[in-house]
Amino acid sequence: MKKSYLFVLGAGALLFAAGCKTEDPLIVQMREASESLEKHVSSSDGNARILAAEADSEKNRTNFPLKETSPSGHVRELRVRIGGAVNEIRRLALAPQSSGHLQALESSARLQLHYSGKDRQILWAIVRAGLHGKNEALWLLAVNGDADAEKMIDLALKRGASGELDQLFQASDVNALAPSIADQVSEVVFAARTAGELETLPAERVENLKKIADIQRGTLCGATAHWALARHQLATPQDICRALLDSRRGVPADAAVFYLLALGEVGGENELPMLREHLKGDDENLSVAAGKSILKICRRLLPFRERR
């Protein structure tokens, strides 16, 4: 009886000790630092408040209050908001199960955000597992200068230019294709879009893009290929207009958007009337694309007008 009593007493003491176990000192210090920084954010003014807000990179500061009255202070406050948004985009891009994952990957690629080697391993895992978002992840890897990602981009373009997928490209509704087949088309579309975003365009990549732009004229693949060439000043406005207007089967809206955006890269005054027609049209996506291209062309031409 005495032994069993001592056993129960000893077990209770162990449980009590476990419950009273001290926190890891690092966690305590992290909490103290975080609380101190938040006090500065809420009560300090000027540069101290801004530096405190930027000190914790894991905090989402997209709603950071704009209090500064000087232009320089206001710009620094905007920097805090942008930094918070960038961190949130990165977090979502590396979390395949999160809502907004695809948009975060695409936003990262468009903004050319830098991802560390460790982060790129997560992106490669998304690509190799064939997860939803693999094309966006490959685009982002290529934008980050990953040589293996660029090789995969070139393989997709080579396949698209080979004629192997011609029947798929001509499908009236890619969304109606079986997912495994539609993926093959999407790979080419994203490869072309990525090629347009990258700084250099090697000769073989140019050749494959030209083949896709010509053979798949009027399709989304052909339009993205034309846009990529235009981004590198390797397409003429006449070629783009012919592809947009002379396609036998009519151009679906998603393809027309890229043709209009391509005109913004290489077009001039002659293309403005057609762009204005789309600007005033009923399709909102086409109107926005036309508006963006009109602004690009006009801003490109105005400095020369001022010299007359």
Side-chain angles (χ1 to χ4, degrees):
M1 182 73 179
K2 186 176 181 181
K3 286 183 179 179
S4 62
Y5 172 75
L6 291 173
F7 175 78
V8 171
L9 185 63
L14 286 172
L15 289 170
F16 178 77
C20 296
K21 185 180 178 181
T22 57
E23 270 190 297
D24 188 315
L26 292 178
I27 293 176
V28 173
Q29 292 178 70
M30 282 177 60
R31 185 167 60 244
E32 287 177 351
S34 180
E35 289 172 353
S36 176
L37 289 169
E38 289 309 304
K39 285 181 181 177
H40 287 298
V41 170
S42 60
S43 61
S44 298
D45 294 316
N47 203 44
R49 169 175 161 261
I50 290 166
L51 291 176
E54 291 182 318
D56 188 350
S57 61
E58 293 189 5
K59 289 280 187 181
N60 186 343
R61 305 284 187 191
T62 52
N63 294 318
F64 187 66
L66 303 178
K67 299 179 179 179
E68 298 296 315
T69 55
S70 69
S72 60
H74 181 64
V75 168
R76 288 198 297 272
E77 288 178 323
L78 292 177
R79 186 182 71 196
V80 174
R81 283 192 171 188
I82 292 168
V86 165
N87 288 329
E88 182 65 6
I89 288 171
R90 280 204 183 95
R91 184 188 71 77
L92 292 171
L94 298 172
Q97 303 305 320
S98 64
S99 176
H101 172 62
L102 289 180
Q103 293 75 15
L105 286 170
E106 181 170 353
S107 297
S108 295
R110 285 182 181 278
L111 296 170
Q112 298 189 346
L113 300 184
H114 173 72
Y115 279 69
S116 68
K118 184 178 179 182
D119 290 342
R120 290 200 293 272
Q121 289 177 7
I122 298 173
L123 295 174
W124 268 117
I126 293 169
V127 173
R128 289 171 178 142
L131 299 178
H132 196 43
K134 65 177 182 178
N135 291 319
E136 290 86 351
L138 191 64
W139 177 10
L140 178 52
L141 284 162
V143 167
N144 269 259
D146 192 295
D148 289 334
E150 288 206 43
K151 287 178 184 176
M152 287 187 69
I153 295 298
D154 285 328
L155 283 173
L157 291 176
K158 186 175 182 179
R159 190 175 181 210
S162 70
E164 180 184 344
L165 302 176
D166 284 4
Q167 292 303 313
L168 302 183
F169 289 137
Q170 298 302 332
S172 58
D173 183 6
V174 173
N175 293 322
L177 296 171
S180 60
I181 298 176
D183 278 351
Q184 297 175 53
V185 177
S186 295
E187 285 173 6
V188 179
V189 170
F190 273 95
R193 289 178 65 181
T194 302
E197 299 285 354
L198 298 177
E199 290 185 8
T200 60
L201 207 59
E204 183 182 4
R205 199 175 294 167
V206 172
E207 183 182 349
N208 287 328
L209 283 168
K210 285 183 175 180
K211 286 180 180 178
I212 295 169
D214 182 39
I215 299 170
Q216 319 311 336
R217 178 182 294 187
T219 70
L220 180 57
C221 288
T224 51
H226 241 137
W227 172 81
L229 291 166
R231 286 272 291 178
H232 290 274
Q233 305 298 301
L234 294 172
T236 67
Q238 294 77 16
D239 287 341
I240 297 166
C241 287
R242 276 196 296 270
L244 179 60
L245 299 174
D246 299 341
S247 179
R248 297 176 192 170
R249 304 172 70 254
V251 180
D254 56 356
V257 164
F258 277 95
Y259 282 128
L260 294 178
L261 291 174
L263 284 177
E265 301 295 334
V266 295
E269 280 192 78
N270 291 337
E271 286 66 52
L272 289 175
M274 185 182 70
L275 287 168
R276 287 189 70 215
E277 285 183 23
H278 287 287
L279 178 70
K280 297 176 181 180
D282 295 331
D283 189 302
E284 290 184 347
N285 291 329
L286 293 180
S287 178
V288 170
K292 182 175 181 178
S293 288
I294 289 170
L295 288 176
K296 274 197 169 186
I297 292 171
C298 291
R299 285 169 178 161
R300 194 161 56 238
L301 294 175
L302 275 174
F304 297 97
R305 288 281 181 87
E306 292 168 1
R307 293 175 191 172
R308 289 181 182 179

